[in-house]
Amino acid sequence: AQSVSQHNHHVILSEAASLELGCNYSYGGTVNLFWYVQYPGQHLQLLLKYFSGDPLVKGIKGFEAEFIKSKFSFNLRKPSVQWSDTAEYFCAVNALISNFGNEKLTFGTGTRLTIIP
Amino acid sequence: DGGITQSPKYLFRKEGQNVTLSCEQNLNHDAMYWYRQDPGQGLRLIYYSQIVNDFQKGDIAEGYSVSREKKESFPLTVTSAQKNPTAFYLCASGEELRGTDTQYFGPGTRLTVL
């Protein structure tokens, strides 16, 4: 079974600091990768996703993530964070196990990000 | 406004009672999902449905049941057989049951068993 690891449970940064949140997955085949974000009081929403092509994908609000197949990683980055980036971030993986795909997402445990003004 | 609604926002029940959580979407999506979110455990899939009158168990289906009689509705019943039902429940939908699809989430229902 596929699994997703987010080793940073809670990250605290000052505004303008650079951010990198780790995400590693266990499945060795073809994968679709997602980052979702849950801002305080808001719905969980898509930040960015990768399923083919350029392994460096850009999302909303200046976030980007790089798919490194050899490292089974899909880390999320932002060069300069803002107070409004305070949220919980979830990495998710969909592994293509059969010709018809595996339609289930497996989520990581989440990383709570707190930005200090 | 297009989106997913879940009701109620907060729900309290006594042990031994069944309770049904509502999920409605007006996005015309075929696929719908139920997740459970617990602190430190992320989201875990309970049930999902690709189309009306069809649904599949997810990773933690024991003690839960669902129905999909209409495209826009996917209610979840938490039965008395669920050993630890206190949690935050999230409903989601997607255009199709396809691995590259974005899932759109509702605001959630927080269930507390007293």
Side-chain angles (χ1 to χ4, degrees):
Chain A
Q2 62 206 37
S3 66
V4 181
S5 298
Q6 293 183 247
H7 300 294
N8 311 108
H9 299 294
H10 189 192
V11 173
I12 303 173
L13 294 172
S14 298
E15 275 193 313
S18 64
L19 169 72
E20 182 161 2
L21 301 182
C23 173
N24 290 90
Y25 60 92
S26 63
Y27 185 65
T30 302
V31 291
N32 299 311
L33 300 158
F34 303 78
W35 276 97
Y36 282 85
V37 60
Q38 193 169 31
Y39 296 104
Q42 295 189 27
H43 302 196
L44 196 66
Q45 61 184 283
L46 181 73
L47 197 56
L48 49 79
K49 67 180 179 182
Y50 169 82
F51 53 93
S52 66
D54 189 343
L56 183 64
V57 291
K58 296 190 185 299
I60 60 172
K61 302 188 180 185
F63 285 90
E64 65 179 30
E66 185 174 14
F67 170 49
I68 303 180
K69 190 172 181 179
S70 60
K71 294 186 178 180
F72 300 92
S73 71
F74 190 55
N75 291 356
L76 181 70
R77 301 195 295 246
K78 186 171 184 178
S80 176
V81 294
Q82 301 171 309
W83 177 78
S84 58
D85 294 325
T86 294
E88 189 151 19
Y89 293 80
F90 293 91
C91 182
V93 176
N94 177 287
L96 299 177
I97 293 176
S98 71
N99 287 335
F100 298 100
N102 178 350
E103 301 80 8
K104 297 185 293 182
L105 276 183
T106 299
F107 283 83
T109 54
T111 296
R112 186 154 62 101
L113 175 65
T114 301
I115 306 300
I116 301 170
Chain B
D1 267 345
I4 301 177
T5 57
Q6 291 185 244
S7 61
K9 188 173 181 179
Y10 298 97
L11 189 56
F12 299 88
R13 77 149 213 222
K14 294 181 181 178
E15 275 194 42
Q17 289 180 337
N18 292 355
V19 63
T20 297
L21 281 58
S22 167
C23 177
E24 305 276 330
Q25 55 99 358
N26 61 4
L27 299 168
N28 200 33
H29 286 168
D30 283 320
M32 296 189 75
Y33 309 82
W34 272 106
Y35 292 92
R36 171 181 170 138
Q37 186 177 9
D38 295 283
Q41 295 198 51
L43 278 71
R44 293 180 289 166
L45 183 65
I46 305 172
Y47 267 97
Y48 62 105
S49 168
Q50 181 176 3
I51 201 166
V52 173
N53 293 324
D54 179 69
F55 48 83
Q56 306 294 330
K57 291 183 179 180
D59 300 318
I60 55 165
E62 186 175 348
Y64 299 98
S65 66
V66 293
S67 63
R68 187 86 187 274
E69 296 176 4
K70 296 186 295 183
K71 185 175 184 176
E72 58 269 22
S73 178
F74 191 41
L76 173 75
T77 297
V78 184
T79 75
S80 56
Q82 168 51 231
K83 299 268 188 277
N84 185 21
T86 295
F88 188 55
Y89 291 88
L90 283 169
C91 179
S93 72
E95 286 188 17
E96 294 179 22
L97 207 68
R98 187 172 54 193
T100 56
D101 270 1
T102 298
Q103 291 186 19
Y104 297 84
F105 287 83
T109 292
R110 189 167 298 279
L111 173 64
T112 303
V113 175
L114 306 172

mmCIF file of all heavy atoms in Angstrom, chain A residues 43, chain B residues 4-12 19-25 34 73-78 88-91 106-111:
data_model
loop_
_atom_site.group_PDB
_atom_site.id
_atom_site.type_symbol
_atom_site.label_atom_id
_atom_site.label_comp_id
_atom_site.label_asym_id
_atom_site.label_seq_id
_atom_site.Cartn_x
_atom_site.Cartn_y
_atom_site.Cartn_z
ATOM 1 N N HIS A 43 -12.119 26.033 3.657
ATOM 2 C CA HIS A 43 -12.118 24.672 3.132
ATOM 3 C C HIS A 43 -10.715 24.253 2.728
ATOM 4 O O HIS A 43 -9.880 25.078 2.350
ATOM 5 C CB HIS A 43 -12.994 24.580 1.872
ATOM 6 C CG HIS A 43 -14.405 24.986 2.061
ATOM 7 N ND1 HIS A 43 -15.391 24.676 1.148
ATOM 8 C CD2 HIS A 43 -15.021 25.674 3.044
ATOM 9 C CE1 HIS A 43 -16.541 25.152 1.572
ATOM 10 N NE2 HIS A 43 -16.351 25.770 2.712
ATOM 11 N N ILE B 4 -19.593 22.792 -2.409
ATOM 12 C CA ILE B 4 -20.010 21.641 -1.613
ATOM 13 C C ILE B 4 -20.471 22.137 -0.256
ATOM 14 O O ILE B 4 -19.777 22.932 0.388
ATOM 15 C CB ILE B 4 -18.839 20.663 -1.433
ATOM 16 C CG1 ILE B 4 -18.343 20.193 -2.779
ATOM 17 C CG2 ILE B 4 -19.268 19.481 -0.576
ATOM 18 C CD1 ILE B 4 -17.138 19.289 -2.701
ATOM 19 N N THR B 5 -21.621 21.686 0.156
ATOM 20 C CA THR B 5 -22.134 22.055 1.473
ATOM 21 C C THR B 5 -22.243 20.804 2.323
ATOM 22 O O THR B 5 -22.601 19.729 1.842
ATOM 23 C CB THR B 5 -23.506 22.739 1.363
ATOM 24 O OG1 THR B 5 -24.411 21.872 0.674
ATOM 25 C CG2 THR B 5 -23.405 24.038 0.603
ATOM 26 N N GLN B 6 -21.914 20.988 3.593
ATOM 27 C CA GLN B 6 -22.041 19.920 4.560
ATOM 28 C C GLN B 6 -22.836 20.445 5.754
ATOM 29 O O GLN B 6 -22.641 21.580 6.179
ATOM 30 C CB GLN B 6 -20.666 19.460 5.066
ATOM 31 C CG GLN B 6 -19.844 18.749 4.023
ATOM 32 C CD GLN B 6 -18.545 18.210 4.610
ATOM 33 O OE1 GLN B 6 -17.462 18.624 4.220
ATOM 34 N NE2 GLN B 6 -18.653 17.291 5.557
ATOM 35 N N SER B 7 -23.709 19.610 6.250
ATOM 36 C CA SER B 7 -24.467 20.022 7.428
ATOM 37 C C SER B 7 -24.687 18.827 8.338
ATOM 38 O O SER B 7 -24.757 17.685 7.877
ATOM 39 C CB SER B 7 -25.819 20.634 7.018
ATOM 40 O OG SER B 7 -26.585 19.678 6.311
ATOM 41 N N PRO B 8 -24.784 19.073 9.644
ATOM 42 C CA PRO B 8 -24.536 20.368 10.288
ATOM 43 C C PRO B 8 -23.052 20.628 10.451
ATOM 44 O O PRO B 8 -22.229 19.762 10.147
ATOM 45 C CB PRO B 8 -25.212 20.178 11.647
ATOM 46 C CG PRO B 8 -25.034 18.712 11.937
ATOM 47 C CD PRO B 8 -25.141 18.022 10.606
ATOM 48 N N LYS B 9 -22.678 21.795 10.937
ATOM 49 C CA LYS B 9 -21.280 22.106 11.159
ATOM 50 C C LYS B 9 -20.760 21.390 12.391
ATOM 51 O O LYS B 9 -19.630 20.901 12.424
ATOM 52 C CB LYS B 9 -21.111 23.619 11.321
ATOM 53 C CG LYS B 9 -19.674 24.090 11.365
ATOM 54 C CD LYS B 9 -19.615 25.610 11.361
ATOM 55 C CE LYS B 9 -18.167 26.081 11.385
ATOM 56 N NZ LYS B 9 -18.086 27.571 11.354
ATOM 57 N N TYR B 10 -21.601 21.347 13.425
ATOM 58 C CA TYR B 10 -21.262 20.628 14.661
ATOM 59 C C TYR B 10 -22.388 19.652 14.969
ATOM 60 O O TYR B 10 -23.554 19.979 14.794
ATOM 61 C CB TYR B 10 -21.095 21.585 15.846
ATOM 62 C CG TYR B 10 -19.985 22.583 15.674
ATOM 63 C CD1 TYR B 10 -20.245 23.872 15.211
ATOM 64 C CD2 TYR B 10 -18.666 22.237 15.966
ATOM 65 C CE1 TYR B 10 -19.218 24.786 15.047
ATOM 66 C CE2 TYR B 10 -17.632 23.156 15.803
ATOM 67 C CZ TYR B 10 -17.922 24.424 15.342
ATOM 68 O OH TYR B 10 -16.906 25.326 15.179
ATOM 69 N N LEU B 11 -22.028 18.485 15.432
ATOM 70 C CA LEU B 11 -23.026 17.465 15.721
ATOM 71 C C LEU B 11 -22.609 16.718 16.981
ATOM 72 O O LEU B 11 -21.450 16.307 17.120
ATOM 73 C CB LEU B 11 -23.119 16.499 14.545
ATOM 74 C CG LEU B 11 -24.240 15.477 14.526
ATOM 75 C CD1 LEU B 11 -25.596 16.142 14.632
ATOM 76 C CD2 LEU B 11 -24.157 14.659 13.244
ATOM 77 N N PHE B 12 -23.574 16.560 17.861
ATOM 78 C CA PHE B 12 -23.326 15.812 19.089
ATOM 79 C C PHE B 12 -24.269 14.629 19.119
ATOM 80 O O PHE B 12 -25.433 14.744 18.765
ATOM 81 C CB PHE B 12 -23.557 16.701 20.315
ATOM 82 C CG PHE B 12 -22.649 17.888 20.368
ATOM 83 C CD1 PHE B 12 -23.002 19.075 19.743
ATOM 84 C CD2 PHE B 12 -21.437 17.808 21.031
ATOM 85 C CE1 PHE B 12 -22.150 20.170 19.778
ATOM 86 C CE2 PHE B 12 -20.588 18.909 21.074
ATOM 87 C CZ PHE B 12 -20.946 20.084 20.440
ATOM 88 N N VAL B 19 -26.025 8.360 13.365
ATOM 89 C CA VAL B 19 -26.196 9.744 12.964
ATOM 90 C C VAL B 19 -25.800 9.879 11.495
ATOM 91 O O VAL B 19 -24.894 9.199 11.031
ATOM 92 C CB VAL B 19 -25.349 10.684 13.859
ATOM 93 C CG1 VAL B 19 -23.868 10.398 13.696
ATOM 94 C CG2 VAL B 19 -25.654 12.131 13.569
ATOM 95 N N THR B 20 -26.521 10.739 10.765
ATOM 96 C CA THR B 20 -26.250 10.913 9.336
ATOM 97 C C THR B 20 -25.735 12.313 9.064
ATOM 98 O O THR B 20 -26.345 13.302 9.485
ATOM 99 C CB THR B 20 -27.514 10.651 8.510
ATOM 100 O OG1 THR B 20 -27.907 9.275 8.699
ATOM 101 C CG2 THR B 20 -27.249 10.881 7.018
ATOM 102 N N LEU B 21 -24.621 12.384 8.332
ATOM 103 C CA LEU B 21 -24.014 13.638 7.937
ATOM 104 C C LEU B 21 -24.368 13.909 6.481
ATOM 105 O O LEU B 21 -24.254 13.018 5.629
ATOM 106 C CB LEU B 21 -22.483 13.557 8.086
ATOM 107 C CG LEU B 21 -21.879 13.712 9.474
ATOM 108 C CD1 LEU B 21 -22.409 12.676 10.450
ATOM 109 C CD2 LEU B 21 -20.371 13.635 9.392
ATOM 110 N N SER B 22 -24.754 15.133 6.222
ATOM 111 C CA SER B 22 -25.196 15.494 4.885
ATOM 112 C C SER B 22 -24.040 16.062 4.052
ATOM 113 O O SER B 22 -23.178 16.769 4.568
ATOM 114 C CB SER B 22 -26.308 16.538 5.002
ATOM 115 O OG SER B 22 -26.566 17.136 3.753
ATOM 116 N N CYS B 23 -24.048 15.752 2.752
ATOM 117 C CA CYS B 23 -23.102 16.331 1.805
ATOM 118 C C CYS B 23 -23.818 16.544 0.479
ATOM 119 O O CYS B 23 -24.362 15.596 -0.098
ATOM 120 C CB CYS B 23 -21.896 15.428 1.599
ATOM 121 S SG CYS B 23 -20.745 16.065 0.352
ATOM 122 N N GLU B 24 -23.815 17.790 0.022
ATOM 123 C CA GLU B 24 -24.460 18.133 -1.242
ATOM 124 C C GLU B 24 -23.487 18.930 -2.097
ATOM 125 O O GLU B 24 -22.773 19.782 -1.574
ATOM 126 C CB GLU B 24 -25.704 19.003 -1.002
ATOM 127 C CG GLU B 24 -26.732 18.403 -0.060
ATOM 128 C CD GLU B 24 -27.670 17.444 -0.761
ATOM 129 O OE1 GLU B 24 -27.924 17.633 -1.962
ATOM 130 O OE2 GLU B 24 -28.151 16.490 -0.104
ATOM 131 N N GLN B 25 -23.492 18.666 -3.418
ATOM 132 C CA GLN B 25 -22.655 19.442 -4.320
ATOM 133 C C GLN B 25 -23.457 19.859 -5.544
ATOM 134 O O GLN B 25 -24.306 19.112 -6.026
ATOM 135 C CB GLN B 25 -21.400 18.641 -4.722
ATOM 136 C CG GLN B 25 -21.647 17.279 -5.333
ATOM 137 C CD GLN B 25 -21.577 17.205 -6.849
ATOM 138 O OE1 GLN B 25 -21.360 18.236 -7.519
ATOM 139 N NE2 GLN B 25 -21.739 16.008 -7.400
ATOM 140 N N TRP B 34 -15.822 10.637 1.089
ATOM 141 C CA TRP B 34 -15.890 10.977 2.513
ATOM 142 C C TRP B 34 -14.551 10.650 3.155
ATOM 143 O O TRP B 34 -14.015 9.538 2.992
ATOM 144 C CB TRP B 34 -16.985 10.194 3.223
ATOM 145 C CG TRP B 34 -18.320 10.844 3.176
ATOM 146 C CD1 TRP B 34 -19.395 10.480 2.435
ATOM 147 C CD2 TRP B 34 -18.733 11.991 3.942
ATOM 148 N NE1 TRP B 34 -20.460 11.324 2.660
ATOM 149 C CE2 TRP B 34 -20.081 12.255 3.580
ATOM 150 C CE3 TRP B 34 -18.122 12.814 4.881
ATOM 151 C CZ2 TRP B 34 -20.817 13.304 4.142
ATOM 152 C CZ3 TRP B 34 -18.837 13.857 5.429
ATOM 153 C CH2 TRP B 34 -20.174 14.094 5.064
ATOM 154 N N SER B 73 -25.837 14.259 -4.101
ATOM 155 C CA SER B 73 -25.911 13.985 -2.674
ATOM 156 C C SER B 73 -25.197 12.690 -2.300
ATOM 157 O O SER B 73 -25.357 11.665 -2.975
ATOM 158 C CB SER B 73 -27.392 13.906 -2.269
ATOM 159 O OG SER B 73 -27.523 13.603 -0.913
ATOM 160 N N PHE B 74 -24.458 12.730 -1.186
ATOM 161 C CA PHE B 74 -23.688 11.551 -0.761
ATOM 162 C C PHE B 74 -23.657 11.528 0.774
ATOM 163 O O PHE B 74 -22.635 11.803 1.398
ATOM 164 C CB PHE B 74 -22.279 11.633 -1.341
ATOM 165 C CG PHE B 74 -21.451 10.378 -1.215
ATOM 166 C CD1 PHE B 74 -21.991 9.117 -1.428
ATOM 167 C CD2 PHE B 74 -20.090 10.464 -0.909
ATOM 168 C CE1 PHE B 74 -21.213 7.976 -1.336
ATOM 169 C CE2 PHE B 74 -19.299 9.315 -0.822
ATOM 170 C CZ PHE B 74 -19.861 8.075 -1.029
ATOM 171 N N PRO B 75 -24.764 11.191 1.423
ATOM 172 C CA PRO B 75 -24.807 11.204 2.891
ATOM 173 C C PRO B 75 -24.018 10.061 3.516
ATOM 174 O O PRO B 75 -23.950 8.965 2.967
ATOM 175 C CB PRO B 75 -26.303 11.073 3.192
ATOM 176 C CG PRO B 75 -26.876 10.404 1.973
ATOM 177 C CD PRO B 75 -26.051 10.859 0.815
ATOM 178 N N LEU B 76 -23.448 10.351 4.667
ATOM 179 C CA LEU B 76 -22.663 9.375 5.429
ATOM 180 C C LEU B 76 -23.356 9.093 6.748
ATOM 181 O O LEU B 76 -23.687 10.029 7.482
ATOM 182 C CB LEU B 76 -21.259 9.926 5.706
ATOM 183 C CG LEU B 76 -20.366 9.106 6.636
ATOM 184 C CD1 LEU B 76 -19.846 7.868 5.911
ATOM 185 C CD2 LEU B 76 -19.194 9.950 7.146
ATOM 186 N N THR B 77 -23.595 7.834 7.044
ATOM 187 C CA THR B 77 -24.149 7.450 8.343
ATOM 188 C C THR B 77 -23.055 6.851 9.200
ATOM 189 O O THR B 77 -22.365 5.913 8.780
ATOM 190 C CB THR B 77 -25.310 6.451 8.178
ATOM 191 O OG1 THR B 77 -26.373 7.082 7.465
ATOM 192 C CG2 THR B 77 -25.842 5.995 9.538
ATOM 193 N N VAL B 78 -22.911 7.423 10.389
ATOM 194 C CA VAL B 78 -21.973 6.891 11.370
ATOM 195 C C VAL B 78 -22.796 6.004 12.300
ATOM 196 O O VAL B 78 -23.703 6.487 12.990
ATOM 197 C CB VAL B 78 -21.298 8.027 12.164
ATOM 198 C CG1 VAL B 78 -20.248 7.464 13.112
ATOM 199 C CG2 VAL B 78 -20.670 9.030 11.206
ATOM 200 N N PHE B 88 -13.472 14.942 12.794
ATOM 201 C CA PHE B 88 -13.877 15.938 11.821
ATOM 202 C C PHE B 88 -14.063 15.206 10.492
ATOM 203 O O PHE B 88 -13.152 14.511 10.043
ATOM 204 C CB PHE B 88 -12.784 17.009 11.722
ATOM 205 C CG PHE B 88 -13.150 18.203 10.902
ATOM 206 C CD1 PHE B 88 -14.293 18.943 11.191
ATOM 207 C CD2 PHE B 88 -12.351 18.614 9.856
ATOM 208 C CE1 PHE B 88 -14.624 20.063 10.450
ATOM 209 C CE2 PHE B 88 -12.670 19.738 9.108
ATOM 210 C CZ PHE B 88 -13.805 20.454 9.395
ATOM 211 N N TYR B 89 -15.247 15.353 9.892
ATOM 212 C CA TYR B 89 -15.569 14.612 8.671
ATOM 213 C C TYR B 89 -15.636 15.570 7.481
ATOM 214 O O TYR B 89 -16.348 16.583 7.522
ATOM 215 C CB TYR B 89 -16.903 13.871 8.827
ATOM 216 C CG TYR B 89 -16.807 12.732 9.805
ATOM 217 C CD1 TYR B 89 -17.027 12.944 11.163
ATOM 218 C CD2 TYR B 89 -16.468 11.450 9.385
ATOM 219 C CE1 TYR B 89 -16.916 11.904 12.073
ATOM 220 C CE2 TYR B 89 -16.358 10.399 10.280
ATOM 221 C CZ TYR B 89 -16.588 10.641 11.620
ATOM 222 O OH TYR B 89 -16.470 9.606 12.518
ATOM 223 N N LEU B 90 -14.928 15.224 6.433
ATOM 224 C CA LEU B 90 -14.864 16.047 5.237
ATOM 225 C C LEU B 90 -15.438 15.303 4.047
ATOM 226 O O LEU B 90 -15.113 14.142 3.814
ATOM 227 C CB LEU B 90 -13.411 16.419 4.924
ATOM 228 C CG LEU B 90 -12.791 17.507 5.778
ATOM 229 C CD1 LEU B 90 -11.296 17.582 5.533
ATOM 230 C CD2 LEU B 90 -13.433 18.851 5.494
ATOM 231 N N CYS B 91 -16.263 16.003 3.288
ATOM 232 C CA CYS B 91 -16.803 15.472 2.043
ATOM 233 C C CYS B 91 -16.082 16.177 0.893
ATOM 234 O O CYS B 91 -15.720 17.361 1.011
ATOM 235 C CB CYS B 91 -18.302 15.749 1.994
ATOM 236 S SG CYS B 91 -19.118 15.172 0.496
ATOM 237 N N GLY B 106 -15.708 20.212 1.091
ATOM 238 C CA GLY B 106 -16.684 20.982 1.840
ATOM 239 C C GLY B 106 -16.087 21.534 3.119
ATOM 240 O O GLY B 106 -14.919 21.291 3.414
ATOM 241 N N PRO B 107 -16.886 22.249 3.918
ATOM 242 C CA PRO B 107 -16.387 22.878 5.137
ATOM 243 C C PRO B 107 -16.226 21.917 6.301
ATOM 244 O O PRO B 107 -15.598 22.250 7.294
ATOM 245 C CB PRO B 107 -17.457 23.929 5.451
ATOM 246 C CG PRO B 107 -18.692 23.380 4.836
ATOM 247 C CD PRO B 107 -18.276 22.633 3.624
ATOM 248 N N GLY B 108 -16.801 20.724 6.186
ATOM 249 C CA GLY B 108 -16.637 19.721 7.232
ATOM 250 C C GLY B 108 -17.726 19.737 8.290
ATOM 251 O O GLY B 108 -18.436 20.724 8.478
ATOM 252 N N THR B 109 -17.871 18.590 8.951
ATOM 253 C CA THR B 109 -18.761 18.442 10.111
ATOM 254 C C THR B 109 -17.940 17.870 11.251
ATOM 255 O O THR B 109 -17.261 16.852 11.080
ATOM 256 C CB THR B 109 -19.931 17.481 9.799
ATOM 257 O OG1 THR B 109 -20.795 18.067 8.834
ATOM 258 C CG2 THR B 109 -20.725 17.163 11.059
ATOM 259 N N ARG B 110 -18.009 18.539 12.399
ATOM 260 C CA ARG B 110 -17.299 18.017 13.577
ATOM 261 C C ARG B 110 -18.284 17.235 14.419
ATOM 262 O O ARG B 110 -19.248 17.792 14.941
ATOM 263 C CB ARG B 110 -16.683 19.159 14.383
ATOM 264 C CG ARG B 110 -15.765 18.651 15.494
ATOM 265 C CD ARG B 110 -14.900 19.754 16.086
ATOM 266 N NE ARG B 110 -13.987 20.352 15.130
ATOM 267 C CZ ARG B 110 -12.831 19.834 14.763
ATOM 268 N NH1 ARG B 110 -12.433 18.677 15.278
ATOM 269 N NH2 ARG B 110 -12.059 20.475 13.903
ATOM 270 N N LEU B 111 -18.047 15.951 14.537
ATOM 271 C CA LEU B 111 -18.920 15.054 15.297
ATOM 272 C C LEU B 111 -18.287 14.756 16.650
ATOM 273 O O LEU B 111 -17.110 14.386 16.712
ATOM 274 C CB LEU B 111 -19.141 13.753 14.533
ATOM 275 C CG LEU B 111 -19.889 12.639 15.266
ATOM 276 C CD1 LEU B 111 -21.322 13.056 15.580
ATOM 277 C CD2 LEU B 111 -19.871 11.345 14.457
#
